[in-house]
Amino acid sequence: MSSPSAEPPCDDERPSGTARPAAPPYVQGTLALNGEPAEPRAGRPLVWGPAGAVPDERRLRALGQAFAEILSGRRPPSSVFRHTTARTRTELVRAGRVFDSPCPPRIGRLHLSQPGDGVVEMCVLVRCGERHRGLALRLERRGVQWLCTEFETTP
C-alpha cells in the first residue's frame, strides 16, 4: 500500500463535491526570488548571502521552482535573468516550454553538491501532474554573485 502524497492535489485530482479552499488573491510575481528591485542599484552587487557565501536552501528552492515554472510556460524567462549568465538566458529562452503540466509544477527535495570551490550543483524532481521530470542547475560564484551557468532537464 502506498502512502498518500504530501503535496496538495491539482484541481483535476480533487474528488467531486470536495470544497476548494479559498484561493488567495492573485498577485503577479508571487514567487519572486527576493524583494529587491529588478535592476540593482549602482555599486550594489547581487549577492546571495554575505560576501558570496553559498546560497541557502530556501533561495535555491525558489530558483529551482522558478526554472520549473519557466520551463512549463507559466512564468517569463526574464524573471530569473539577473541570476543567470548570458549563455543560460539564451538557452532558457530557446528551450521554451518543455514541461507539459496540467497544473503548476512543484519541485521536490533538493539534492546539492559542491564539486569545487565556488560551484554549487543542484538537482530536483519536478512534479508535472502525474509525470515527474528532472531538473539540474549549476551555479558558480562570480565575484560575490552566484549565477546559474547551466541547466538541464530530462526528456
Side-chain angles (χ1 to χ4, degrees), residues 96-122:
R97 184 178 178 186
V98 294
F99 291 171
D100 185 27
S101 182
C103 55
R106 301 221 186 263
I107 66 167
R109 196 178 77 156
L110 288 180
H111 299 275
L112 298 173
S113 69
Q114 288 184 269
D117 188 38
V119 177
V120 173
E121 293 179 344
M122 63 180 258

Side-chain angles (χ1 to χ4, degrees):
M1 181 168 125
S2 65
S3 61
S5 175
E7 298 177 329
C10 294
D11 288 342
D12 61 342
E13 295 175 333
R14 294 180 190 281
S16 60
T18 302
R20 260 179 91 177
Y26 176 76
V27 178
Q28 181 67 28
T30 56
L31 290 176
L33 297 175
N34 63 31
E36 295 178 7
E39 293 299 318
R41 289 178 269 185
R44 187 170 179 220
L46 292 172
V47 295
W48 284 0
V54 175
D56 66 13
E57 189 171 327
R58 181 182 54 85
R59 291 182 186 260
L60 291 173
R61 283 189 62 76
L63 184 63
Q65 181 67 40
F67 265 77
E69 290 174 6
I70 291 165
L71 294 170
S72 70
R74 296 178 181 269
R75 180 184 199 131
S78 60
S79 64
V80 296
F81 279 2
R82 65 182 174 166
H83 299 291
T84 60
T85 61
R87 180 172 158 248
T88 303
R89 286 181 212 129
T90 302
E91 289 179 17
L92 194 55
V93 170
R94 185 179 300 142
R97 184 178 178 186
V98 294
F99 291 171
D100 185 27
S101 182
C103 55
R106 301 221 186 263
I107 66 167
R109 196 178 77 156
L110 288 180
H111 299 275
L112 298 173
S113 69
Q114 288 184 269
D117 188 38
V119 177
V120 173
E121 293 179 344
M122 63 180 258
C123 65
V124 295
L125 210 57
V126 180
R127 182 174 181 228
C128 301
E130 292 299 315
R131 297 198 55 186
H132 289 81
R133 304 287 301 263
L135 174 63
L137 302 175
R138 178 183 175 97
L139 288 90
E140 296 179 8
R141 188 173 54 224
R142 304 281 170 94
V144 294
Q145 300 179 37
W146 284 90
L147 298 175
C148 179
T149 58
E150 293 186 49
F151 73 96
E152 290 186 13
T153 63
T154 57

